[in-house]
Amino acid sequence: MIIHTQEPILEVHDLTVSYSRKPVLWGIDFTLPSGCIAGIVGPNGAGKSTLLKTIMGLIPPSSGFVKLFGHPLEEVRNRVSYVPQRESVDWDFPVSVLDVVLMGRYGKVGLLRNTGTRDRSIALDCLDKVGMSPFAKRQISQLSGGQQQRVFLARALAQEADIYFMDEPFAGVDAATEQAIIGLLREMAGTGKTIVVVHHDLQSARTYFDWIILLNMHLVAAGPTEQVFTEEMVQQAYGGRLSLLSQVGDVMEKRAFPSRES
Amino acid sequence: MIAFWIILTGALVAITCGLLGCFLILRKMSMVGDAISHAVLPGIVIAFLLSGSRETLPMLLGAGATGLLATFLIEYFHRRANLQTDAAIGVTFTFLFAIGIILISVFAGKVDLDQDCVLYGEIAYVPIDLWVTANGTILGPRPVYILAAVLLIVVLFIKLGYKELKLTSFDPAFASALGISTALWHYLLMAAVSLTTVSSFESVGAILVIAFLIGPPATAYLLTHELKHMLAITVVLGVFISFAGYWMAYWLNASIAGCMAVITGVCFAAAFGYQRARNMNKARMSEGLPPAGQAAG
């Protein structure tokens, strides 16, 4: 079940991606409206991160194309932000928290130029938004997992983009940080920013996202959460994994009738 | 005066190598320096056979070409064949170095080069290799001018590309997302390493080049958590190592390059000991105990 939007901010058209000739994503085709928080949900190995990386131009697609704001990525890079998986970088790298956030400004200042005082104040502002200002001078090796994630988020905010792609921003963070992050994302969506999040927790997906992209190498469903995030669709995405099926049923039940628990 | 020229040569090589080495170790590709410094050999021999002279420019071109070829091959085997980087490095540089050795032995009569010279160099000959202008003025050792020029190029490169080098080393995916080409900066860095290696090998040899590429940056990495400080400490260490290494060789009447490499190792060991002591003190402090030094005193 794929529900398209009339005025898409992101258009993924018939995208196929392969790693050394082995396809990992087949014919992915969906659109996103602006101002939504979209979740890319699916089992391990479904190609969620691959989809994000392909949209960001980090992996070349075998076929199909991606358009952002009606243009190819190269023309609108300044309006697009990317938050890689936290584990993808070396947190012992000799830089401070503020240094990392300033990296978000690199795209704006351009080649051979350095970041200025304005970039610095924007970076400090963004650190404040994620509640990390006291850590500005701290070495990144001294941060906890949740703090690392918030630094990455601050760096994305410093890009002042219109659409944000986040790879597993909730992986390995505690519940308090998770709530803080989702609060911030809702605030951003409220000001018209679009946020696309790779997520693997089915329980929270329903409450966090207002648009869902259900993936398992093929696109299973895409559209507004209440329309496409049904038990049938989730079972289809997680199908074949019998041990999971009953759990999926449980999750859907709890979410559909929350009053039963209390 | 001889001591001055030798120490200056050593310091110039140490600083140039160290600055680039900082980025190499942060990119977890220290051994690429090793690979390039060996892989330049066939390039040097071929350039010598074609040009018939040991002029600097053909040497630089030939060596630069095979140095870059080595990095291309390493990347190619790593990406296309899914071979681990270290295995790709091992296969590539031994192969290229061996070709160089065969070329030298086949054309032994014509080539004014030998493996020992390439591997160990002879920094003691630097003051003899003078630059004499057409009207007979002696301007000092030729290698010093070449090395100073290379240092200038490397400093300019790092100064202008500092934020790109930093970002592509720390978070390549994010750099690509910003539209910064990670491949371009990778090859620019490799070109700089090739240039440095080639211009240095003649005076200090491939092994000291590797020691300078990795030793001072690794030492600095233990002492600081700030990239700019790491670069600064590397420069200071480079000068110190050159100085201490020369005097050690003087007293022991031993190989200068060898002594410099030994001092590099001693510096690293000292920094390692210091870091361990500091961490243990920190652990003691956090348990509410006085630092070890005070407890003993």
Side-chain angles (χ1 to χ4, degrees), chain A:
Chain A
M1 178 168 30
I2 294 149
I3 299 167
H4 283 280
T5 177
Q6 283 307 308
E7 287 173 15
I9 195 166
L10 167 70
E11 182 190 356
V12 174
H13 186 81
D14 200 18
L15 202 69
T16 297
V17 184
S18 351
Y19 280 135
S20 40
R21 299 223 182 82
K22 204 175 125 222
V24 284
L25 286 175
W26 288 86
I28 309 295
D29 197 297
F30 67 91
T31 49
L32 276 188
S34 78
C36 71
I37 305 181
I40 300 178
V41 181
N44 288 338
K48 305 187 290 285
S49 290
T50 306
L51 175 59
L52 215 59
K53 286 178 184 158
T54 312
I55 294 173
M56 288 311 301
L58 303 177
I59 300 170
S62 320
S63 70
F65 64 84
V66 174
K67 276 193 172 173
L68 295 140
F69 314 103
H71 298 276
L73 175 69
E74 280 70 36
E75 293 170 23
V76 290
R77 253 186 220 286
N78 259 335
R79 299 175 65 188
V80 184
S81 169
Y82 173 55
V83 182
Q85 277 184 28
R86 190 162 52 82
E87 294 83 15
S88 69
V89 306
D90 171 16
W91 288 94
D92 283 327
F93 199 89
V95 286
S96 69
V97 167
L98 184 60
D99 281 335
V100 174
V101 181
L102 274 172
M103 288 174 188
R105 304 294 306 163
Y106 284 7
K108 294 267 195 287
V109 298
L111 195 70
L112 306 182
R113 303 248 312 272
N114 233 321
T115 46
T117 45
R118 204 182 89 84
D119 300 307
R120 217 182 137 81
S121 70
I122 290 171
L124 287 170
D125 222 38
C126 295
L127 271 176
D128 195 42
K129 278 187 196 148
V130 299
M132 287 288 289
S133 327
F135 296 87
K137 291 279 165 208
R138 199 67 82 83
Q139 286 322 129
I140 56 168
S141 53
Q142 298 166 4
L143 302 178
S144 72
Q147 290 169 336
Q148 292 173 350
Q149 195 60 60
R150 282 195 268 174
V151 171
F152 260 21
L153 207 59
R155 180 175 72 174
L157 289 176
Q159 287 185 266
E160 296 181 321
D162 293 319
I163 184 163
Y164 293 79
F165 294 94
M166 305 184 175
D167 204 342
E168 301 261 12
F170 302 118
V173 306
D174 60 29
T177 307
E178 185 160 336
Q179 287 311 314
I181 292 176
I182 194 70
L184 187 69
L185 299 188
R186 289 209 175 106
E187 206 178 291
M188 288 159 68
T191 62
K193 313 275 188 194
T194 308
I195 296 142
V196 184
V197 176
V198 167
H199 193 60
H200 65 235
D201 182 32
L202 287 170
Q203 299 244 15
S204 50
R206 177 179 292 276
T207 47
Y208 285 176
F209 307 122
D210 34 44
W211 202 275
I212 292 270
I213 296 143
L214 208 50
L215 201 66
N216 191 355
M217 294 177 83
H218 295 266
L219 185 64
V220 177
T225 307
E226 64 274 13
Q227 291 178 49
V228 302
F229 203 56
T230 59
E231 185 171 352
E232 187 199 344
M233 287 296 152
V234 173
Q235 289 217 0
Q236 207 179 316
Y238 286 75
R241 304 189 174 201
L242 290 172
S243 60
L244 257 175
L245 280 183
S246 58
Q247 284 179 30
V248 168
D250 284 352
V251 167
M252 301 313 291
E253 235 168 89
K254 275 181 204 155
R255 286 293 151 189
F257 308 103
S259 53
R260 266 191 193 177
E261 278 195 272
S262 53

Side-chain angles (χ1 to χ4, degrees), chain B residues 277 280-282 284-285 288-297:
Chain B
M280 273 163 77
N281 273 348
K282 261 191 199 157
R284 285 174 69 96
M285 299 264 262
L289 296 165
Q294 283 174 25

Side-chain angles (χ1 to χ4, degrees), chain B residues 19-52:
Chain B
L19 289 175
L20 294 172
C22 284
F23 291 100
L24 288 183
I25 73 166
L26 290 176
R27 286 166 176 253
K28 310 200 170 25
M29 44 196 291
S30 320
M31 293 327 277
V32 169
D34 186 5
I36 292 178
S37 57
H38 285 82
V40 295
L41 184 62
I44 289 170
V45 180
I46 291 168
F48 180 82
L49 289 171
L50 292 180
S51 72

Side-chain angles (χ1 to χ4, degrees), chain B residues 95-165:
Chain B
F95 172 66
L96 288 173
F97 187 65
I99 290 182
I101 289 182
I102 290 175
L103 284 175
I104 287 183
S105 49
V106 169
F107 298 101
K110 299 178 202 158
V111 185
D112 178 21
L113 277 171
D114 62 68
Q115 294 98 301
D116 280 1
C117 154
V118 173
L119 276 183
Y120 310 116
E122 194 38 275
I123 199 168
Y125 293 161
V126 166
I128 309 170
D129 188 1
L130 292 172
W131 186 18
V132 184
T133 56
N135 55 21
T137 325
I138 297 169
L139 292 172
R142 209 170 45 92
V144 170
Y145 285 93
I146 296 167
L147 292 170
V150 172
L151 174 60
L152 193 71
I153 293 170
V154 167
V155 167
L156 269 178
F157 168 61
I158 291 177
K159 178 117 186 69
L160 291 176
Y162 182 72
K163 74 180 196 305
E164 283 80 8
L165 281 170

